[in-house]
Amino acid sequence: MIESECLVVRSYDFRETSLIVDLISRELGSVRALGKGALNPEKNWTASFLPLSHIKVSLYPGKNIYLVGNCEMISFFPIIRENLYRLCLATSLVEIAYLISPPPHEELFSFLFKALHFLNKEDSPLSLFSVYSWLKILRFSGFHPELKKCVVCGKSKELSFYSVELGGVLCGKCRMRDSCAISVDKQLLGIFPVLSRISLSETKRINIFRSHKKKLKEIIYRHLLYRLESKPPALRFLEKIFLRDE
């Protein structure tokens, strides 16, 4: 048996009174668990297994799935649930993390926890939330884009294109390796190292041109989609408001 702090990604009805729950566990990473009798009023687990709930559970290894022995609600993030856009951002974040980084990762779990608490504040700045969060998840999962040198020749000069397929920047001479490479400039490339060393709350201090912000999102979003095995439902919904000013 493992006592684990978890974030709920989603849940599915199973038979009449049970739920199958996808969880991101601090100790186990991405796991699927069966909550037998979770819909039974005596257990009172229904709210605990709603997406984005922060819970503490007892997990028992089963044949193909973990079994939930006990469940305790820690946080429900009410402000996130009152705002559709924040709810969409938060849900897509945990869905992405569940898919892209299944092994346990303490830093990733801690970041998701901080990101949800950040979104749960009404005055939190959201201008660069998506890009910042995607970059963090990609870094923790080992898929961070190469931004300091050409991914083909290794040179650090004349970097003027970004290749989603190759996973990083290209110099002018290596541009031919990807006909779909996106043009970038030095100012845009200079934003990435800044994002890597600041906190979420400090993103409000970054002022960038609207065109750079749009291209920044395009690059990281396409890089993320290329590494995901499938597109999460919340991310599909987020696409419809992707160009919205956060």
Side-chain angles (χ1 to χ4, degrees), residues 14 17-19 33-40 43 45 49 67-68:
F14 182 72
T17 61
S18 300
L19 289 173
L34 173 62
K36 288 187 176 181
L39 300 177
N40 193 318
K43 285 198 171 181
W45 285 358
F49 287 143
L67 302 176
V68 178

Side-chain angles (χ1 to χ4, degrees), residues 118-150:
F118 179 85
L119 284 174
N120 200 50
K121 298 177 182 178
E122 292 180 344
D123 60 345
S124 55
L126 301 180
S127 179
L128 291 170
F129 178 85
S130 295
V131 172
Y132 181 94
S133 300
W134 295 337
L135 276 171
K136 286 288 187 181
I137 292 175
L138 286 166
R139 181 169 71 83
F140 294 142
S141 305
F143 295 109
H144 194 275
E146 174 55 65
L147 302 164
K148 295 182 179 179
K149 59 185 179 181
C150 177

